[in-house]
Amino acid sequence: MKFIIDLIEDVREQIGNHEAYEVTAGLLKTDENNSEKLIYAGEAPLNISSLDGENKQLNFKMDGSETRVTIGALIPPLLIQDMDVMMYELRIDVNAQYSDMEIVGFGKNDEEKRYILFIKI
């Protein structure tokens, strides 16, 4: 389970809060031959991010639009939140089948300027 504070810290360490990076969802699948191993299955852009105070979550969504979540749009509003908001969980809605997915890790692709939130399906 990852929280907003984990995201902020990792973004600062990994990409120095570089505003142009797009935030994407990286899909990991369990290896059929070894259940302890995860296989990278691709990534997709995230289109929406929103704070949900009721469920104490920062939600990301894919809706197929041309809108993209960037570090420049995501991080500055989070930095001014109260400390209790920093402990909100990070979640992703991929589609109707894979909604409210837990983020299991972070990554980056410097060549394509992408910051990746990994989910396991």
Side-chain angles (χ1 to χ4, degrees):
M1 180 178 314
K2 299 292 181 185
F3 301 94
I4 291 175
I5 191 97
D6 301 322
L7 172 70
I8 290 171
E9 184 177 312
D10 193 71
V11 165
R12 185 179 312 132
E13 288 176 7
Q14 296 297 320
I15 62 172
N17 291 341
H18 197 287
E19 294 181 358
Y21 276 65
E22 281 187 7
V23 183
T24 63
L27 308 175
L28 300 173
K29 291 185 177 180
T30 304
D31 186 337
E32 294 175 4
N33 301 322
N34 181 353
S35 62
E36 294 182 20
K37 210 174 183 184
L38 295 174
I39 298 172
Y40 177 73
E43 64 186 73
L46 294 168
N47 309 108
I48 301 169
S49 66
S50 62
L51 279 174
D52 178 354
E54 187 176 317
N55 294 311
K56 298 189 178 196
Q57 296 177 341
L58 172 58
N59 295 309
F60 296 92
K61 296 183 187 218
M62 292 180 210
D63 67 3
S65 71
E66 293 298 314
T67 305
R68 300 289 187 256
V69 176
T70 64
I71 293 299
L74 177 67
I75 297 298
L78 294 177
L79 293 174
I80 60 172
Q81 298 295 322
D82 292 335
M83 195 57 202
D84 63 323
V85 174
M86 296 297 164
M87 296 309 296
Y88 282 17
E89 287 181 66
L90 303 176
R91 305 298 256 183
I92 294 179
D93 289 338
V94 177
N95 55 32
Q97 182 181 1
Y98 297 109
S99 64
D100 199 32
M101 302 291 296
E102 179 181 336
I103 294 170
V104 298
F106 307 115
K108 66 177 179 166
N109 179 330
D110 288 324
E111 290 176 7
E112 296 184 20
K113 300 268 190 257
R114 291 187 181 153
Y115 184 78
I116 306 164
L117 307 176
F118 286 107
I119 57 174
K120 184 177 128 182
I121 57 173

